[in-house]
Amino acid sequence: MNILVPSSWYEFDIHPATRDESIREVVRERVRERPELADSRTALIRTLTRTADEAWQTGVLYFGALADLSDEAPLTASLTIAVLEADDRADDGPDGNLAALVAALKPVAAGRRPTDPWRRIKLVELPDAGSAARSEGIDDIELPDDDRMVRMVLMQTFVPFPGGDPRVAVISGATSQLALAEPMLELFDGITETFRFVYADDDPSAGSAGRVS
């Protein structure tokens, strides 16, 4: 699997055994490119480590993060890819997994306040990966190993594997910037549109950014 995130995002290994050094290295490289980030080095490492740990605990295979820690308006977001087995209720046929996914997703009507939870469900067509089911909106998310809930802007796109493979790739974009819900959903949509399945005979010159084994 392959996905492309903007050059301003961070990509690194999230395995606990190698994560800390991977994060430090990408932060060092970014500070070399943008010296004005030097004062934010510690905060960047702390923020990326926390979000990477949360991602690892939920079975994530790929992790990309945006972390703009300016004093005026800190902006953080993440994009992850996980792989799940398809719903047992899926019917046979090329669209069985997709139909089961859509049936399992439930919309939530918007509340009175813009930051109240809401959810819309739709089908989308990814240029290089075909039809997918999508849930997007504002949701209350339970933190891993924590009783607290956090309200997030969340987009999840469920992409059935091709060729009768029963698995589903789940691409999740999340941010705590509730006031920027629609712009952030547009950003997540643009990134998700670059997703594709990678095969052994693919052209190696296409690059490996965001590749998931």
Side-chain angles (χ1 to χ4, degrees):
M1 294 177 286
N2 183 279
I3 199 164
L4 300 175
V5 296
S7 60
S8 58
W9 284 52
Y10 296 84
E11 296 178 284
F12 47 84
D13 178 13
I14 64 171
H15 192 286
T18 52
R19 177 188 61 213
D20 291 350
E21 179 54 34
S22 180
I23 291 174
R24 286 194 293 268
E25 178 56 33
V26 297
V27 171
R28 280 196 296 266
E29 181 62 29
R30 190 59 55 85
V31 170
R32 281 195 292 267
E33 296 171 356
R34 296 179 55 192
E36 68 272 16
L37 293 176
D39 291 342
S40 301
R41 185 196 305 265
T42 300
L44 280 169
I45 292 173
R46 183 170 57 247
T47 298
L48 294 173
T49 300
R50 183 182 68 250
T51 54
D53 182 60
E54 292 171 357
W56 176 261
Q57 293 183 56
T58 58
V60 162
L61 300 178
Y62 166 81
F63 177 79
L66 168 66
D68 184 352
L69 302 181
S70 64
D71 293 335
E72 294 182 0
L75 176 62
T76 59
S78 65
L79 187 126
T80 64
I81 301 176
V83 174
L84 304 177
E85 294 296 326
D87 195 307
D88 291 338
R89 294 170 296 175
D91 298 324
D92 292 335
D95 297 324
N97 285 354
L98 192 59
L101 287 167
V102 173
L105 300 173
K106 304 300 181 184
V108 174
R112 291 183 302 170
R113 297 174 300 179
T115 57
D116 285 342
W118 59 271
R119 186 185 309 127
R120 59 189 176 220
I121 309 301
K122 58 185 177 181
L123 290 173
V124 296
E125 193 73 20
L126 303 183
D128 297 312
S131 300
R134 174 171 292 169
S135 168
E136 62 182 16
I138 295 177
D139 263 319
D140 290 328
I141 308 299
E142 184 175 350
L143 296 175
D145 297 328
D146 199 318
D147 293 332
R148 295 175 299 167
M149 304 287 285
V150 58
R151 187 160 293 182
M152 305 282 286
V153 178
L154 181 66
M155 174 185 287
Q156 290 188 298
T157 305
F158 301 84
V159 191
F161 273 60
D165 190 311
R167 294 174 297 171
V168 175
V170 184
I171 308 165
S172 302
T175 179
S176 59
Q177 308 298 317
L178 304 183
L180 300 176
E182 291 297 345
M184 294 304 294
L185 290 173
E186 290 180 9
L187 174 61
F188 296 149
D189 174 60
I191 296 173
T192 302
E193 283 195 341
T194 71
F195 176 81
R196 66 187 180 95
F197 292 97
V198 177
Y199 303 96
D201 58 351
D202 277 1
D203 183 357
S205 65
S208 59
R211 180 164 293 185
V212 182
S213 299

